[in-house]
Amino acid sequence: MNAPLPDVPEVRVVGLPQLTSGFDLVERLDLAMHLKVHGPLEPIGGERLAQLADDVCLRGRGGAGFPFARKLRAVADAAIKRGVRPVVVVNGSEDEPACRKDTVLINRAPHLILDGALLAAEALGARTLVVGVTRDSTESSMTAALAERGLSNRRSAALRARVQRNPERMVTGEASALIRSIDGGPALPPGRRVRAAESGVGGAPTLLSNAETFAQLAIAARIGPSRYRGTGLYDEPGTVLLTVSGAVARPMVIEVPTGVPLRYVLQLAGAPPLPQGVLTGGYHGSWLNAIASHDAVVSRASLEALGGALGAGAILPIGQETCALGEGLRVAQWLADESAGQCGPCRLGLPAAAGGLADVLNGGGPTALEALHEITRAVKGRGACKHPDGSARFIASTLTAFKDDLAMHVLSGGCGRETRGVLPLPVPGLTDPGAPSGERLVVDWTLCQGHGLCADVVPELITLGPDGFPTVSDAGVPLALRGRAQRAVRRCPALALRLERTADQLPAPPRRAALPSAPGRKALGSGWS
């Protein structure tokens, strides 16, 4: 069974490095080393910056692939119309067990991300910059990077910048959940669709994009569109960061030009020569069968044409020795546990879908398969966020990509292979159940609403007081209870419970971002009309 991925796995590059320049010199590029490697960067006017993003076909690298220039112009238009200063948010919340590319960037090249974010902030006339993270390592690196640039959250600062730490859960990386947490609420999707470009942090127009997206913007601004377009495909120029794990000898983050054959990337990581299938785009993505994975190249268009997805850049092959549907079931169960519990499709539909897939694998026959199809169809398009849709897409893709295995399970009661657990999930090996895990449970009292679910999941560590609110044991969490402690954290509807290392300081409670006012068009930076 594969162990969880480390925060910073091995990093490789195909061709000339761009995002990973300097990684061969130091483990982390501080500001001085960053400037030596990349050089200084001059501000760019608003419309020129948008045109640059257009010229290099820059799309969001967090999964949705939305054109960055359209988002930038939408924020500018909304700020002009309303006469307020916009906000810039970097989404570095990488909570999927199979994704590490943004975590690698934040840990090793934080100033490249800040370069792009500050370019956008200057062009828009923003006076607030927030970087959302969910890991100890990314919080530490980005906090240090802000300090190295002399940026702080002081009211007197020309640009107020801070790091927003959220719980490590799948739903906290959703844009609306991150915005809600920045405003002082729980890191949960609000259940209503509002465009951040029109009303985001504090109700102001907000430019929110993925960490790699801002780093790509900084690269394009330094080398110019002609040189940027000299790498990769004509319609998808530049490089991409991929996280390659699963059935590989060397899990890694790799920077590759678009257009490189996917089979070459898999070969570099030590994947099986003939994989049974390759999951593309992570756990909200889609499977490619062996033939499609051989024909695919690294590009959004190529993967989509073959039924896959680039998504957030996670690539996970599995070999012939494991049960593909069993691997899918493990992921489906984890996705169900990651539910925010605030809408029916997520709270009820995802556990039902995971249970339906288990019924198929356990000999439920055609009746169980038809019931599973009905559940996944019912979940789509009805959730408070995109988690139910992505999870249903993953299950549907699993059934489609492995039809021969599915037929054997439905008609013959099984495929004859064990589930080896090659897809990474955050489940530790409990070699010594009585040993301490080095973590403790902590309640954020600014968020706790006294639901009491945590006490039901792990009563050995949490009891309910007379007022109905939890009382948490001061003792650390033993390894034997770590799985249930993690489940209690995931099940907390208010995201008030978290696991922290016993030696770490508690993060400061979230504060509402202050938005300096400015009249009319003067709220925007130079270059907008």
Side-chain angles (χ1 to χ4, degrees):
M1 180 176 291
N2 273 13
L5 292 176
D7 279 10
V8 183
E10 177 186 354
V11 178
R12 298 283 297 275
V13 61
V14 174
L16 295 176
Q18 292 185 356
L19 298 171
T20 58
S21 292
F23 282 21
D24 58 333
L25 302 175
V26 291
E27 285 299 309
R28 177 184 181 275
L29 280 74
D30 60 14
L31 183 56
M33 181 58 73
H34 168 75
L35 292 174
K36 288 181 181 178
V37 171
H38 292 285
L41 184 60
E42 297 296 325
I44 299 176
E47 182 52 41
R48 281 184 57 213
L49 189 64
Q51 187 59 52
L52 171 67
D54 260 339
D55 290 342
V56 300
C57 305
L58 180 60
R59 290 178 173 266
R61 302 301 177 92
F66 193 83
F68 185 82
R70 284 174 56 188
K71 188 181 294 186
L72 186 65
R73 290 188 176 107
V75 172
D77 290 344
I80 291 172
K81 182 177 180 180
R82 294 175 52 190
V84 298
R85 290 193 184 275
V87 177
V88 174
V89 176
V90 178
N91 192 349
S93 308
E94 195 171 42
D95 304 314
E96 193 169 326
C99 294
R100 288 295 184 273
K101 56 135 179 134
D102 291 325
T103 301
V104 164
L105 270 182
I106 295 173
N107 274 282
R108 301 197 62 181
H111 289 285
L112 197 59
I113 300 166
L114 288 178
D115 277 348
L118 293 172
L119 276 178
E122 176 71 18
L124 291 169
R127 292 295 178 263
T128 303
L129 168 65
V130 184
V131 183
V133 299
T134 55
R135 301 176 186 274
D136 290 340
S137 63
T138 50
E139 180 182 28
S140 175
S141 180
M142 189 54 72
T143 299
L146 293 178
E148 288 164 6
R149 288 181 179 251
L151 296 171
S152 73
N153 197 33
R154 294 192 306 269
R155 288 185 179 275
S156 59
L159 174 70
R160 299 184 64 180
R162 67 181 180 92
V163 175
Q164 171 70 28
R165 173 70 182 269
N166 285 332
E168 190 175 334
R169 292 186 60 186
M170 188 79 165
V171 294
T172 59
E174 206 269 344
S176 63
L178 177 54
I179 289 172
R180 193 177 181 188
S181 71
I182 293 170
D183 280 340
L188 288 170
R192 51 189 173 82
R193 304 294 174 90
V194 178
R195 293 181 62 205
E198 296 174 357
S199 179
V201 174
T206 299
L207 177 69
L208 186 150
S209 202
N210 165 264
E212 185 194 341
T213 313
F214 284 109
Q216 292 282 2
L217 182 67
I219 293 293
R222 275 191 170 88
I223 67 177
S226 296
R227 185 175 164 194
Y228 188 97
R229 295 186 66 94
T231 299
L233 299 170
Y234 175 79
D235 53 350
E236 293 184 46
T239 65
V240 296
L241 285 179
L242 304 174
T243 310
V244 187
S245 64
V248 297
R250 300 178 301 280
M252 63 178 60
V253 168
I254 181 168
E255 182 181 12
V256 300
T258 55
V260 168
L262 180 61
R263 62 182 180 275
Y264 179 65
V265 174
L266 296 175
Q267 180 183 358
L268 286 177
L274 185 64
Q276 184 179 178
V278 179
L279 179 60
T280 59
Y283 295 158
H284 277 177
S286 302
W287 288 95
L288 296 179
N289 60 31
I291 296 174
S293 65
H294 183 273
D295 295 339
V297 301
V298 177
S299 83
R300 187 177 303 277
S302 172
L303 292 172
E304 289 178 355
L306 293 168
L310 180 60
I315 305 294
L316 301 105
I318 60 171
Q320 301 289 341
E321 73 286 349
T322 190
C323 172
L325 296 181
E327 295 289 344
L329 175 59
R330 292 176 61 247
V331 174
Q333 291 170 335
W334 178 80
L335 290 170
D337 283 343
E338 287 296 290
S339 164
Q342 63 177 6
C343 70
C346 206
R347 182 170 56 88
L348 303 175
L350 296 189
L357 182 55
D359 289 343
V360 171
L361 267 68
N362 292 329
T367 302
L369 179 59
E370 180 56 34
L372 176 57
H373 283 309
E374 290 182 6
I375 293 169
T376 55
R377 284 194 296 265
V379 165
K380 291 180 181 178
R382 298 176 54 238
C385 68
K386 297 178 182 178
H387 183 55
D389 285 358
S391 302
R393 178 170 56 250
F394 168 80
I395 294 174
S397 174
T398 303
L399 300 178
T400 301
F402 304 105
K403 291 182 178 179
D404 291 343
D405 277 18
L406 180 62
M408 287 189 286
H409 278 280
V410 172
L411 302 177
S412 306
C415 65
R417 287 177 288 201
E418 296 182 0
T419 300
R420 300 294 183 88
V422 298
L423 299 183
L425 289 173
V427 180
L430 303 181
T431 55
D432 182 6
S437 66
E439 296 176 315
R440 60 174 178 156
L441 285 167
V442 176
V443 176
D444 186 339
W445 296 110
T446 65
L447 300 178
C448 182
Q449 300 174 10
H451 291 96
L453 296 179
C454 53
D456 293 335
V457 177
V458 60
E460 297 89 343
L461 299 175
I462 303 175
T463 58
L464 295 183
D467 57 359
F469 282 82
T471 300
V472 181
S473 170
D474 290 333
V477 177
L479 283 175
L481 296 178
R482 188 171 185 267
R484 280 199 282 151
Q486 289 176 321
R487 194 176 307 124
V489 170
R490 293 195 297 266
R491 293 282 176 84
C492 177
L495 295 182
L497 188 67
R498 61 175 177 262
L499 273 171
E500 290 189 349
R501 295 193 180 278
T502 53
D504 289 348
Q505 296 289 329
L506 295 178
R511 289 176 289 180
R512 189 178 182 87
L515 301 175
S517 60
R521 294 176 181 268
K522 293 182 180 179
L524 291 175
S526 62
W528 296 101
S529 58

